[in-house]
Amino acid sequence: MNLDFKAILKTIEDADVITLYRHTHPDCDALSSQNGLCSWIKTNFPEKRVYRLGAETTDQTVYPPSDTVDEDTIRTSIAIVLDTGNKERIDDQRYAFAKQVIKIDHHPNLDPYGTQNYVCEEAAATCEILTSFFASCENQIMNHEIATYLYKGLLTDTLCFRTSNTTQHTLEMAAKLASYNLAIPELNRELFDVSCKTFHFSNWIRSNTQLFGEHLAYVIIPEAIQHEYNISASSARNRIDEIGHVKEFSIWALFTEKTVDGHKLYDGSLRSKTAIINTIANQYHGGGHKNASGVKDLTENDLQNLLKDLYKVSN
Ligand SMILES: [Mn+2]
């Protein structure tokens, strides 16, 4: 990993107050990198005041609730923003009041909003970058709790080391974390076992998947179905893997319907095996990684145009 972590260690050592941020609609990589870094700082620098900000949570697994922080405290702090490509996505825009902003991320660095930016697009997860950072620190302690957080982020962002950005380095970092006596089978179950209701919802997704041409698969989940299965739109989009990993599909997309001011709009998750789709997602209020992106607030017309654009790169 081509990052020099000396300056960030120095900045943390020099700070009295540190505020930690993650992206909106947080996934396990966002929450794990935030909680893992918090735990690492508290373990190694117990005199420092560290706060984790962010209003939203995930229902995939349990993380401690966020901290409550006033604006004056943020003004005295250095901000570290994790797993967040652009400033609009930072959950708690008061990060901008901080004395310094450090960005640690693995999304394309289109918005280098940090006063220090530690961005490695080749990393499969922000937790992979943090593992590298912690391993580079000779005098600091790692422990089971920190390793468990980071492993969760690594495992979920790579879908159990199956995504195209899983590399030798990813697996080396996972092995380092595993050396802290991780409960690997239990973590797998905690993160990936689904409820019976979700199992049936997965059947609905598979039964209602449509093809656009031969290699583009997509499914649109109406609001009524989200209600019927009692699943939030973001959790529904997280089931996108149900239609992935099919030999014939090179791109797959899952959209959730919502009603805004009486109009139907759609948010979507997009995945591909090799086609570059984030440049397309960028044109539809979205973005992300080369092979894993999201879009939002699409009209019916936008959705049809997006499918046409995806179809063009699906062969
Ligand atoms: Mn991530």
Side-chain angles (χ1 to χ4, degrees):
M1 181 164 294
N2 198 15
L3 291 174
D4 181 358
F5 295 109
K6 286 195 191 76
I8 181 172
L9 178 61
K10 175 90 172 61
T11 307
I12 290 173
E13 281 172 339
D14 290 346
D16 297 319
V17 186
I18 301 165
T19 47
L20 304 176
Y21 303 79
R22 62 189 188 229
H23 60 76
T24 53
H25 303 307
D27 57 9
C28 287
D29 189 32
L31 286 152
S32 279
S33 55
Q34 185 189 38
N35 282 284
L37 179 56
C38 181
S39 183
W40 184 86
I41 295 171
K42 285 184 169 170
T43 301
N44 289 293
F45 305 98
E47 72 287 358
K48 296 189 192 302
R49 290 154 60 203
V50 195
Y51 302 99
R52 297 156 306 124
L53 290 88
E56 296 174 295
T57 55
T58 178
D59 51 18
Q60 190 172 0
T61 181
V62 180
Y63 289 89
S66 293
D67 302 306
T68 310
V69 184
D70 59 34
E71 196 181 304
D72 289 340
T73 307
I74 295 174
R75 285 186 191 279
T76 65
S77 76
I78 62 152
I80 305 180
V81 185
L82 298 142
D83 199 38
T84 310
N86 55 310
K87 37 177 141 28
E88 291 76 21
R89 275 193 93 206
I90 301 172
D91 188 350
D92 207 322
Q93 288 291 314
R94 295 178 301 164
Y95 82 95
F97 296 138
K99 291 196 288 192
Q100 263 196 68
V101 178
I102 298 175
K103 175 184 186 183
I104 305 178
D105 187 35
H106 69 128
H107 296 88
N109 197 14
L110 303 174
D111 181 4
Y113 53 77
T115 39
Q116 292 177 47
N117 296 287
Y118 294 87
V119 177
C120 178
E121 236 189 279
E122 291 73 41
T126 299
C127 284
E128 180 180 337
I129 302 174
L130 282 185
T131 307
S132 232
F133 168 37
F134 298 163
S136 77
C137 297
E138 287 160 12
N139 301 317
Q140 275 70 36
I141 298 166
M142 264 292 277
N143 62 30
H144 175 82
E145 180 184 282
I146 303 163
T148 298
Y149 277 132
L150 298 185
Y151 190 79
K152 282 185 182 188
L154 208 49
L155 197 64
T156 50
D157 255 26
T158 61
L159 300 172
C160 300
F161 308 114
R162 286 193 302 159
T163 55
S164 57
N165 55 2
T166 303
T167 62
Q168 177 186 344
H169 186 267
T170 313
L171 297 174
E172 282 169 359
M173 293 304 104
K176 263 187 210 304
L177 296 171
S179 73
Y180 293 90
N181 200 21
L182 295 188
I184 289 175
E186 287 81 358
L187 285 170
N188 279 324
R189 285 199 291 274
E190 178 187 328
L191 293 162
F192 293 103
D193 278 13
V194 298
S195 66
C196 200
K197 193 146 201 159
T198 303
F199 172 74
H200 288 300
F201 178 60
S202 299
N203 286 341
W204 187 92
I205 291 176
R206 288 175 173 224
S207 311
N208 288 276
T209 297
Q210 306 179 63
L211 275 172
F212 194 115
E214 283 177 58
H215 307 292
L216 168 59
Y218 71 98
V219 60
I220 300 170
I221 303 171
E223 275 181 295
I225 294 295
Q226 296 169 41
H227 293 147
E228 184 182 327
Y229 287 93
N230 189 25
I231 191 160
S232 70
S234 65
S235 297
R237 287 194 301 280
N238 282 340
R239 305 310 307 162
I240 183 160
D241 215 34
E242 299 297 344
I243 58 171
H245 311 284
V246 176
K247 282 183 183 167
E248 286 82 354
F249 304 165
S250 61
I251 301 180
W252 53 104
L254 188 153
F255 301 95
T256 51
E257 182 192 72
K258 63 183 179 184
T259 306
V260 179
D261 298 333
H263 299 280
K264 300 269 184 226
L265 292 176
Y266 302 87
D267 297 333
S269 290
L270 317 175
R271 300 289 182 271
S272 71
K273 284 179 183 161
T274 54
I276 294 172
I277 53 174
N278 56 352
T279 47
I280 296 174
N282 286 339
Q283 299 162 37
Y284 293 89
H285 321 128
H289 305 282
K290 279 185 289 205
N291 308 117
S293 292
V295 292
K296 64 178 185 194
D297 300 332
L298 306 183
T299 62
E300 177 73 37
N301 199 30
D302 292 334
L303 199 157
Q304 292 306 323
N305 287 331
L306 168 62
L307 288 173
K308 282 179 204 155
D309 287 344
L310 291 172
Y311 167 72
K312 285 181 201 151
V313 294
S314 70
N315 288 301

